Amino acid sequence: MRSPVTAIIVMGVAGSGKTTLARGLADHYRYALLDADDWHSADARAQMAAGIPLSDAQRQPWVAALAAELQRLAASGRASVLAFSGLRAAHRQQLRDSGVAMRFLFLHAAPAVIAARLAARREHFMPPQLLESQLQALQPPHDEPDVIAIDGAADYPQVLAEALRKLDAAGVSPRR
């Protein structure tokens, strides 16, 4: 018997499609939707908008706040989907340490695919110039058993279908 999943964490670098996929999963499973971008401070957003990546020390309180929100939602009986970069293994572990039953989806694609998406994106604080720093900061989750890899290069309907198929196989189910 599989343990119930209370949170789905959609992770990947900027432009990988995290927020779009998280929105689709939240709709499908009837889970609350959280976008980690909404939890950045104004200073952090301004720094990134200026093309300066955040340090791990700057990310730590942001991750702590996200972990606390996942705990709050789970304690109230609500499951959630979180769009979250999850670049560092320590940050993914910090979410796991919250005690919330979760499954990660790692959206990956070739840097050229992601760069094209970032170049086409409008009205977002994260400039395309930060892609290289995100790729350098990324510690891929190769040996993390609660992470499901998803090819994010495909068209969105294919990405969503693959994610749903793999999550369903892992025992994730919609809220009744």
Side-chain angles (χ1 to χ4, degrees):
M1 176 166 229
R2 293 176 251 198
S3 61
V5 171
T6 308
I8 300 168
I9 315 300
V10 182
M11 60 165 287
V13 299
S16 63
K18 300 180 297 290
T19 301
T20 302
L21 180 58
R23 191 175 297 119
L25 294 171
D27 289 346
H28 176 81
Y29 289 114
R30 296 187 297 279
Y31 287 7
L33 174 64
L34 300 171
D35 188 340
D37 285 347
D38 296 338
W39 293 77
H40 279 300
S41 69
D43 288 344
R45 284 174 170 257
Q47 179 176 326
M48 289 183 282
I52 303 167
L54 299 178
S55 69
D56 283 347
Q58 289 172 303
R59 290 183 186 114
Q60 197 286 326
W62 169 67
V63 178
L66 293 168
E69 182 63 9
L70 292 174
Q71 287 176 319
R72 187 190 71 73
L73 287 167
S76 71
R78 295 186 66 201
S80 57
V81 179
L82 170 63
F84 169 67
S85 57
L87 300 177
R88 310 298 283 173
H91 298 146
R92 296 188 296 271
Q93 189 59 47
Q94 190 174 352
L95 291 184
R96 288 182 187 104
D97 290 344
S98 71
V100 174
M102 61 185 62
R103 183 77 71 199
F104 289 81
L105 291 178
F106 173 44
L107 277 175
H108 59 88
V113 170
I114 295 170
R117 289 180 182 164
L118 286 173
R121 194 158 76 170
R122 302 288 176 252
E123 298 183 25
H124 194 279
F125 65 88
M126 179 74 85
Q129 305 90 293
L130 284 183
L131 175 58
E132 186 58 35
S133 71
Q134 292 241 312
L135 292 169
Q136 289 175 3
L138 176 64
Q139 295 172 328
H142 297 304
D143 296 322
E144 298 174 38
D146 59 352
V147 178
I148 299 168
I150 302 289
D151 180 0
D155 290 335
Y156 171 70
Q158 293 171 298
V159 172
L160 178 61
E162 180 183 359
L164 290 171
R165 184 173 36 75
K166 288 182 175 183
L167 286 168
D168 290 347
V172 176
S173 59
R175 291 291 182 196
R176 302 281 176 234

